[in-house]
Amino acid sequence: MKILKRLFYSMIISGLVLTGKADASNASDYNDEITLRLKAGMITEAEFPDKIANVTKSVTSEILQIETLGNRIFLLPIENLESQVYVVTQDNVSYCLRLIMDEAQAPTRIKIEKPHQAANEEQGRDTANTVELMKALLTGRQPPGSVSSKLHPQDIFNNAKLRITVDEVYELQGGTKAFVLTFENLIDKPVVVPIEHIELPGLLAISVDSQILEARPLDTKRKPSKHTTRAYMIVEELTQ
């Protein structure tokens, strides 16, 4: 856990609590990957069947810039990358875009069709891919093939403005770990947690229930408060 604490400290110093655009996803289901070919320095437009509600990515804006307009998403890779972007539309259909670089065959525009729901999915696998892992975390289920370490909440960051605690860790074969975290606003002003600024070695995906943390109430016991939120992080081969 020590390395996770050090990584979060460096992440906060680089500007975690900033104003920014919320792009967290509460997707209940991610469909099969859709490969999208990109070219560095070129904008690719992807059109979805319905208006886009949420977008989640695992790389920074310095590497990949994303804008949305209605049912369209515009992607501009600044440099070569291979990553995933998760898109949820307002009809509660979710998509996983697998981004790869292709200098020769990258289209400037692509239309994405509504996928059919997969039937008879394979059960009982020892490991889960990133999409399945995030799906399980977002719906409060234990990822298949994982070993759960339910913890007494442990602080990994506290600067008197923001507190981050680890609530649960899921370990999978191959060294992949999934973390359930709580972000808590400790001040009397709202803050935004821009997850696109989070950079950790081996980070595969991250999502939060709410990116906007309301001001901490004077009495947290008197009424429900939205000054805390759950966050979910999947990290590959994180060593202690």
Side-chain angles (χ1 to χ4, degrees), residues 104-227:
Q105 300 184 29
T108 57
R109 190 173 185 275
I110 184 172
K111 188 171 184 178
I112 296 176
E113 302 294 335
K114 198 168 191 175
H116 297 289
Q117 294 294 329
N120 301 319
E121 293 182 355
E122 183 182 356
Q123 299 294 324
R125 287 177 289 180
D126 292 334
T127 60
N129 62 29
T130 303
V131 174
E132 292 169 329
L133 273 173
M134 187 58 74
K135 172 185 171 181
L137 295 174
L138 290 167
T139 54
R141 295 183 291 107
Q142 179 169 341
S146 68
V147 176
S148 172
S149 300
K150 197 145 192 159
L151 308 172
H152 181 72
Q154 299 181 20
D155 285 11
I156 57 173
F157 181 83
N158 188 336
N159 67 350
K161 295 181 179 179
L162 181 73
R163 177 189 292 130
I164 304 173
T165 59
V166 178
D167 302 315
E168 194 160 5
V169 180
Y170 297 102
E171 299 188 26
L172 295 104
Q173 292 183 359
T176 299
K177 288 182 173 63
F179 297 89
V180 179
L181 311 164
T182 296
F183 284 61
E184 181 180 3
N185 184 10
L186 302 178
I187 62 176
D188 60 357
K189 296 180 181 179
V191 297
V192 178
V193 181
I195 58 176
E196 66 270 15
H197 285 267
I198 298 177
E199 296 182 75
L200 301 175
L203 179 65
L204 298 175
I206 184 170
S207 185
V208 293
D209 286 340
S210 176
Q211 245 181 300
I212 300 177
L213 302 182
E214 293 184 356
R216 182 181 180 86
L218 295 177
D219 186 352
T220 58
K221 297 181 180 179
R222 292 190 63 180
K223 62 179 180 179
S225 173
K226 295 182 180 180
H227 73 289

Side-chain angles (χ1 to χ4, degrees), residues 13-170:
I13 292 171
S14 66
L16 173 63
V17 185
L18 303 170
T19 58
K21 179 181 178 181
D23 65 355
S25 170
N26 287 323
S28 59
D29 185 27
Y30 288 113
N31 295 285
D32 293 339
E33 286 186 341
I34 300 169
T35 299
L36 188 57
R37 301 176 185 276
L38 304 177
K39 180 179 179 180
M42 185 185 82
I43 297 176
T44 296
E45 173 190 344
E47 180 182 349
F48 290 84
D50 201 3
K51 187 175 181 180
I52 296 170
N54 284 308
V55 177
T56 301
K57 62 178 180 176
S58 59
V59 294
T60 67
S61 298
E62 285 73 21
I63 298 175
L64 174 67
Q65 294 182 7
I66 292 180
E67 296 290 342
T68 61
L69 178 64
N71 67 330
R72 293 175 293 165
I73 185 172
F74 301 88
L75 304 104
L76 174 60
I78 307 302
E79 57 187 66
N80 289 342
L81 59 87
E82 184 168 340
S83 183
Q84 291 172 318
V85 170
Y86 308 104
V87 177
V88 183
T89 51
Q90 286 191 346
D91 56 356
N92 203 31
V93 176
S94 44
Y95 305 79
C96 174
L97 304 181
R98 178 172 172 262
L99 309 181
I100 62 174
M101 306 306 295
D102 190 330
E103 295 291 322
Q105 300 184 29
T108 57
R109 190 173 185 275
I110 184 172
K111 188 171 184 178
I112 296 176
E113 302 294 335
K114 198 168 191 175
H116 297 289
Q117 294 294 329
N120 301 319
E121 293 182 355
E122 183 182 356
Q123 299 294 324
R125 287 177 289 180
D126 292 334
T127 60
N129 62 29
T130 303
V131 174
E132 292 169 329
L133 273 173
M134 187 58 74
K135 172 185 171 181
L137 295 174
L138 290 167
T139 54
R141 295 183 291 107
Q142 179 169 341
S146 68
V147 176
S148 172
S149 300
K150 197 145 192 159
L151 308 172
H152 181 72
Q154 299 181 20
D155 285 11
I156 57 173
F157 181 83
N158 188 336
N159 67 350
K161 295 181 179 179
L162 181 73
R163 177 189 292 130
I164 304 173
T165 59
V166 178
D167 302 315
E168 194 160 5
V169 180
Y170 297 102

